[in-house]
């Protein structure tokens, strides 16, 4: 099986969490599965980059901001590869240029147009765990672009579609999709399953667990998603095509 796993910034915020994610992915790899990991920037690092940029220029160009933002994800994937190596597992980190993650030229809110899968497939054939930068792409001029809010989720779904993966798992800091934000509403209930359409409505109404563009792409490509916590082994929420009622 080929599994795409995406982990957000809180999941890789420090050394301990990086190794926690690496060990979790190692379990999948040791089952004999091919594993592609998509990562966001560590913790609040993107916010730190914004502060640094505005300290230099209060009105930076969108192109240069995209160039700057790519540092965050590249740091995450490189450190994750090092963690896998420390655990004795083969792994390689790839950025958007190395993968050839083609996008439109709208800096700060680009859309993925095509993904060349040859490099990833070659690395998987060598039995490497492949770690890919989320949130970023390259345009027709080979300039870096970023995908906007929720971009790493969109990267994971797009990769799952391009690679015809058997599963796409989105790991976050909650156990799945709830009827309301469990951090704000103690009585919120976790859903075992939810349809693309219902998840899309929730996303458009402000639910932050998945971004609307990610859900739209999953629906278009018929990629079932599993939203689950990176902090525990609880069953998450499956997002797929069946019409379910929230």
């Amino acid at each position: 099986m080929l599994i795409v796993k995406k982990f957000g910034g809180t999941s890789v915020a420090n050394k301990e969490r990086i190794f926690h994610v690496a060990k979790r992915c190692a379990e999948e790899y040791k089952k004999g599965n091919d594993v592609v990991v998509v990562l966001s920037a560590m913790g609040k690092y993107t916010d730190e980059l914004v502060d640094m940029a505005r300290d230099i220029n209060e009105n930076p160009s969108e192109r240069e901001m995209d160039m700057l933002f790519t540092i965050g994800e590249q740091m995450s994937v490189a450190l994750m590869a090092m963690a896998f190596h420390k655990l004795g597992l083969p792994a390689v980190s790839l950025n958007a240029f190395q993968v050839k993650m083609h996008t439109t030229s709208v800096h700060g809110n680009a859309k993925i147009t095509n993904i060349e899968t040859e490099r990833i497939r070659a690395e998987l054939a060598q039995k490497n765990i492949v770690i890919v930068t989320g949130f970023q792409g390259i345009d027709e001029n080979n300039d870096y672009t970023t995908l906007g809010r929720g971009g790493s989720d969109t990267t994971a779904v797009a990769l799952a579609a391009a690679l015809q993966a058997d599963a796409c798992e989105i790991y976050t800091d909650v156990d799945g999709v709830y009827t309301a934000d469990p951090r704000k509403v103690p009585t919120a209930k976790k859903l075992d399953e939810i349809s693309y359409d219902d998840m899309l409505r929730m996303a458009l109404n402000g639910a932050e667990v998945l971004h609307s563009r990610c859900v739209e792409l999953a629906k278009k490509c018929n990629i079932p998603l599993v939203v689950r916590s990176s902090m525990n082994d609880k069953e998450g929420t499956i997002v797929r095509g069946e019409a379910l009622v929230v």
Side-chain angles (χ1 to χ4, degrees):
M1 293 179 66
L2 171 56
I3 314 295
V4 175
K5 295 175 177 284
K6 179 266 174 178
F7 293 88
T10 56
S11 300
V12 292
N14 54 43
K15 173 184 175 180
E16 290 72 23
R17 291 188 177 184
I18 287 173
F19 272 102
H20 178 78
V21 167
K23 290 174 182 177
R24 186 155 195 167
C25 294
E27 294 174 2
E28 197 77 69
Y29 179 81
K30 290 176 181 178
K31 294 176 184 177
N33 294 322
D34 291 330
V35 179
V36 175
V37 183
V38 176
L39 298 181
S40 299
M42 297 172 64
K44 299 294 184 180
Y45 191 68
T46 300
D47 294 336
E48 295 178 26
L49 292 174
V50 171
D51 291 340
M52 282 188 267
R54 291 180 176 165
D55 188 44
I56 297 293
N57 184 336
E58 64 277 6
N59 189 30
S61 75
E62 292 180 339
R63 181 196 180 278
E64 299 308 331
M65 287 303 294
D66 277 359
M67 188 71 163
L68 180 65
F69 282 150
T70 58
I71 296 170
E73 281 71 26
Q74 290 183 179
M75 182 169 66
S76 291
V77 298
L79 292 173
M80 184 61 69
M82 295 175 193
F84 281 121
H85 298 161
K86 181 70 173 180
L87 296 175
L89 296 173
V92 62
S93 63
L94 299 174
N95 65 19
F97 189 83
Q98 292 166 314
V99 170
K100 300 297 183 185
M101 184 93 56
H102 299 283
T103 72
T104 58
S105 297
V106 182
H107 289 290
N109 195 31
K111 292 184 179 181
I112 295 171
T113 57
N114 180 51
I115 300 174
E116 297 181 29
T117 61
E118 290 80 2
R119 177 68 186 275
I120 295 178
R121 293 189 186 280
E123 298 292 351
L124 291 174
Q126 295 296 316
K127 299 303 180 183
N128 281 314
I129 298 170
V130 180
I131 314 146
V132 180
T133 52
F135 182 60
Q136 62 179 244
I138 53 170
D139 68 9
E140 60 185 0
N141 299 314
N142 284 334
D143 284 341
Y144 281 111
T145 59
T146 60
L147 307 181
R149 180 172 169 259
S152 292
D153 290 348
T154 304
T155 301
V157 174
L159 276 172
L163 294 166
Q164 297 181 308
D166 296 287
C168 184
E169 301 175 346
I170 308 294
Y171 290 82
T172 181
D173 56 355
V174 293
D175 295 335
V177 180
Y178 282 74
T179 53
D181 188 337
R183 292 165 293 194
K184 299 177 180 178
V185 183
T187 57
K189 295 181 179 179
K190 185 174 77 71
L191 304 170
D192 294 329
E193 298 184 0
I194 187 172
S195 71
Y196 295 128
D197 290 339
D198 286 337
M199 186 69 248
L200 184 57
R201 277 192 288 271
M202 290 179 69
L204 292 172
N205 285 323
E208 297 182 357
V209 63
L210 287 175
H211 192 262
S212 59
R213 187 180 294 180
C214 159
V215 181
E216 288 170 348
L217 183 59
K219 179 181 178 180
K220 177 181 177 182
C221 299
N222 195 30
I223 303 293
L225 306 176
V226 179
V227 180
R228 61 196 310 177
S229 173
S230 61
M231 306 303 175
N232 59 56
D233 295 323
K234 294 180 180 179
E235 295 296 328
T237 300
I238 300 171
V239 185
R240 56 187 177 192
E242 287 81 356
L244 302 175
V245 177
V246 176

